[in-house]
Amino acid sequence: GKALSRCKIMLLGVAYKGDIDDVRESPALKVWEELENKGAKVVYHDPYCASVKWHGETVDSTPLTQETIQQCDAVLITTWHKHKVDYKMLLDNAPVIFDTKNAIVSVLGQDALDNKKLYRL
């Protein structure tokens, strides 16, 4: 019920694949671009990519805490990092999660599907 142009979206993972620090040709960067083009404020968390160059600027990874998650309107899982991400804490605190990698169910099991704020693509 909220316009995307007034939303703060967290991308979880900007590396091109899980558990590495390489962002070259990462699909997450295309998603980031599209969200910004629609007016959304985008932040990211990636335990393997402490910072990235974005439009000539250095952007730092946002800490993954209860507070930073709750400050976002949605979290979009764009890279499945099997290590260094607390998916249970994410599920407990995010208002909405779009899981493009099936990470939540892979880590937490089928019971996670009962959560009404989890959407899988």
Side-chain angles (χ1 to χ4, degrees), residues 85-105:
V85 175
D86 185 345
Y87 290 101
K88 173 77 170 108
M89 191 257 304
L90 177 67
L91 187 61
D92 289 345
N93 289 281
V96 176
I97 300 170
F98 293 96
D99 188 351
T100 69
K101 300 297 181 181
N102 204 32
I104 298 283
V105 172

Side-chain angles (χ1 to χ4, degrees), residues 8 10 43-46 50 60-65 68-69 72:
K8 182 177 182 181
M10 177 184 283
V43 297
Y44 84 92
H45 173 78
D46 193 309
D60 294 329
S61 177
T62 299
L64 193 65
T65 65
T68 59
I69 294 167
C72 293

